[in-house]
Amino acid sequence: MKKAVVIYNRNSGRKEAAKSLKDVRRFLSSCFEQLQITEINDITTVDFNKFDTVKIIGGEGTINKCLPVLDGKQTGIIPCGTANQLAARLGIFNEKSAITAIKNEKT
């Protein structure tokens, strides 16, 4: 059973992450048998050992806050920050390219 946790920052990218969450949730629900959505401020309540992969919706600040809990987990980035330099360096420029990468298991 593939399980994923999605960490998102509703304020990323002038609140673009909150707008993207509905579409991203629909897509990821079709990819994983179990999906948990968690706001960035609640990551300390998540047992990351229960999940196969972590998906992060947000920008560099959100990713930085998630780094301590990733501990080698397969991770995907869905960029919704204002600059998204890390995602761009990885060839992920928007929600569509992030979803394509996840479909192709390039995380």
Side-chain angles (χ1 to χ4, degrees), residues 5 7 43 48-49 51-56 62-77:
V5 60
I7 307 297
I43 63 172
F48 286 89
N49 293 319
F51 299 96
D52 304 305
T53 186
V54 178
K55 305 304 179 201
I56 302 169
T62 306
I63 294 166
N64 282 332
K65 285 184 178 182
C66 291
L67 287 175
V69 298
L70 295 178
D71 193 29
K73 290 281 183 200
Q74 182 184 33
T75 306
I77 300 170

Side-chain angles (χ1 to χ4, degrees), residues 4-100:
V5 60
V6 177
I7 307 297
Y8 81 102
N9 182 346
R10 72 179 75 228
N11 296 316
S12 285
R14 298 177 189 92
K15 302 193 180 194
E16 287 299 314
K19 294 176 187 175
S20 297
L21 184 59
K22 183 179 178 183
D23 292 333
V24 170
R25 178 186 294 194
R26 184 178 21 242
F27 165 71
L28 292 176
S29 292
S30 69
C31 298
F32 298 98
E33 295 170 31
Q34 183 179 343
L35 186 67
Q36 178 177 325
I37 310 290
T38 302
E39 213 276 324
I40 187 67
N41 295 325
D42 298 327
I43 63 172
T44 58
T45 65
V46 176
D47 181 359
F48 286 89
N49 293 319
K50 293 181 179 180
F51 299 96
D52 304 305
T53 186
V54 178
K55 305 304 179 201
I56 302 169
I57 304 174
E60 278 85 8
T62 306
I63 294 166
N64 282 332
K65 285 184 178 182
C66 291
L67 287 175
V69 298
L70 295 178
D71 193 29
K73 290 281 183 200
Q74 182 184 33
T75 306
I77 300 170
I78 302 164
C80 290
T82 46
N84 300 312
Q85 293 299 311
L86 174 62
R89 289 276 190 181
L90 296 171
I92 304 169
F93 301 102
N94 53 37
E95 182 182 314
K96 184 177 179 177
S97 62
I99 287 174
T100 300

